[in-house]
């Protein structure tokens, strides 16, 4: 039952904890970005999740505040599948404000964690989570992110995994890291 796409990456976690419906060959894309989103970022996250859902693709995100929350909520509201890859144990709720959302995702989609069930959030757990999220999906869509955003870790991991990265023009033109990776053939700049 281990997700097949994730199993194919070099840094796949040795085990996963799941709450919800595991689909071994889940076809989806990560929608990631800033916790402190702009109105334009919120709109783009909603549009990205809607487009994925309309094409029967799973919306994958990290259950963080901001862009992740909008992507998950949009998928749930339209009846599309969504997967939350979290940076804590499966028995934890982080952030606490997304407790209800996490339970909804577990009921209608899937919550995945590579950490022991009661593990708290740590400085290392979120970059590890980003790598798992990249490996799980077919591509990563970066909506909005700052210069020091953890989102850049996922973009870099996606490259290491051989997965395409779709960058918003705002990230490609507004951050040094976005401009640097935008020159690669596996990166597509949109909007």
């Amino acid at each position: 039952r281990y997700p097949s796409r994730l199993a194919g990456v070099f840094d796949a976690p040795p085990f996963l904890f799941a709450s919800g419906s595991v689909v071994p060959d889940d076809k989806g894309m990560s929608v990631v970005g800033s916790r402190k989103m702009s109105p334009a970022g919120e709109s783009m996250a909603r549009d990205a999740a809607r487009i994925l859902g309309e094409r029967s693709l799973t919306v994958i995100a990290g259950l963080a505040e901001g862009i992740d929350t909008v992507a998950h909520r949009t998928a749930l509201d339209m009846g599309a599948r969504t997967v939350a890859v979290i940076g804590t144990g499966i028995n934890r709720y982080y952030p606490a404000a997304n407790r209800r959302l996490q339970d909804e995702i577990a009921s209608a989609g899937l919550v995945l964690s590579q950490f022991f069930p009661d593990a708290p959030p740590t400085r290392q757990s979120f970059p590890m989570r980003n790598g798992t999220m990249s490996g799980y999906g077919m591509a990563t869509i970066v909506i909005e992110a700052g210069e020091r955003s953890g989102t850049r870790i996922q973009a870099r991991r996606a490259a290491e995994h051989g997965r395409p990265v779709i960058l918003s023009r705002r990230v490609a033109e507004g951050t040094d890291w976005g401009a640097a990776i935008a020159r690669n053939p596996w990166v597509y700049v949109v909007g």
Side-chain angles (χ1 to χ4, degrees):
R1 294 177 20 141
Y2 197 94
S4 59
R5 196 165 285 102
L6 179 58
V9 300
F10 69 92
D11 57 351
F15 55 83
L16 295 168
F17 295 91
S19 181
S21 174
V22 176
V23 175
D25 189 29
D26 204 357
K27 290 179 176 54
M29 295 185 187
S30 297
V31 179
V32 298
S34 179
R35 287 176 172 84
K36 295 183 186 339
M37 64 188 166
S38 69
E42 180 177 0
S43 177
M44 189 174 189
R46 190 172 288 111
D47 289 346
R50 182 183 46 76
I51 289 167
L52 293 173
E54 287 172 350
R55 286 157 180 77
S56 300
L57 294 170
T58 297
V59 176
I60 306 159
L63 201 67
E65 293 176 333
I67 297 297
D68 291 13
T69 296
V70 169
H72 287 306
R73 173 56 52 208
T74 300
L76 287 169
D77 288 350
M78 66 184 292
R81 179 170 167 81
T82 189
V83 172
V85 182
I86 61 175
T88 66
I90 205 96
N91 293 338
R92 296 276 185 146
Y93 293 95
Y94 187 86
N98 278 351
R99 179 184 194 105
R100 190 171 140 230
L101 180 59
Q102 183 172 330
D103 287 341
E104 283 183 63
I105 294 168
S107 178
L110 176 65
V111 177
L112 272 183
S113 174
Q114 66 201 82
F115 306 104
F116 286 109
D118 294 317
T122 68
R123 180 176 227 146
Q124 297 81 23
S125 63
F126 292 99
M128 292 169 70
R129 176 272 316 259
N130 283 45
T132 300
M133 206 178 348
S134 164
Y136 188 93
M138 297 186 302
T140 292
I141 303 169
V142 180
I143 302 293
E144 190 171 54
E147 197 62 62
R148 301 193 45 82
S149 170
T151 301
R152 74 189 194 293
I153 296 168
Q154 181 154 343
R156 188 175 64 239
R157 282 292 175 81
E160 293 168 356
H161 294 152
R163 306 283 201 269
V165 174
I166 301 164
L167 280 185
S168 70
R169 188 162 307 285
R170 176 178 295 162
V171 174
E173 295 175 357
T175 64
D176 290 341
W177 69 266
I181 71 163
R183 294 189 282 269
N184 290 290
W186 43 268
V187 176
Y188 305 88
V189 178
V190 298

